[in-house]
Amino acid sequence: MFLFLVVALAVVVAAVTLAVVGGGEGGGPLPEAAPERLQDLLPLDRPINRVDIEALRFPLAARGYRMSDVDDALSRLGAELAERDARIADLESALAGAQASAGHVSMEKHAPEDH
């Protein structure tokens, strides 16, 4: 009985090995699967918006997410956030300057004139 189990195990191991290595009519080993890549890329022709971020899905890799896909997305987001922060700072500075000059002009109009 023990000998039968050993022979059966050897036959199963041999069959699995032949199937994986390509001992059948396939003519070679199993084809390698293409690595899963990021499908929904962030748009390059316009700024990123909230919907783009919510729709962003990273494919799973052996130990989590593919690091290069995540790094690319984070770099792009960081660059766009820095650009928006600079634009906001410029607009706030321009608004403060416009308010200051409007207040200065308003003060000159209301100042009492000496005759």
Side-chain angles (χ1 to χ4, degrees), residues 52-68:
D52 297 327
I53 302 302
E54 289 174 351
L56 185 62
R57 298 289 179 261
F58 295 105
L60 292 177
R63 292 180 287 158
Y65 294 106
R66 189 173 303 282
M67 215 180 317
S68 63

Side-chain angles (χ1 to χ4, degrees), residues 2-83:
F2 178 73
L3 182 61
F4 174 75
L5 289 176
V6 170
V7 171
L9 180 64
V11 169
V12 169
V13 168
V16 170
T17 302
L18 285 176
V20 171
V21 173
E25 67 246 7
L30 295 175
E32 290 193 28
E36 191 176 357
R37 299 299 300 167
L38 184 62
Q39 296 297 322
D40 298 324
L41 299 174
L42 296 172
L44 299 174
D45 58 342
R46 63 178 171 78
I48 298 171
N49 60 33
R50 180 179 179 170
V51 175
D52 297 327
I53 302 302
E54 289 174 351
L56 185 62
R57 298 289 179 261
F58 295 105
L60 292 177
R63 292 180 287 158
Y65 294 106
R66 189 173 303 282
M67 215 180 317
S68 63
D69 290 340
V70 176
D71 288 345
D72 292 345
L74 289 176
S75 295
R76 172 84 189 276
L77 289 172
E80 286 207 18
L81 286 174
E83 183 179 319

Side-chain angles (χ1 to χ4, degrees), residues 87-97:
R87 178 78 175 137
I88 288 170
D90 289 345
L91 291 173
E92 287 177 342
S93 175
L95 178 62

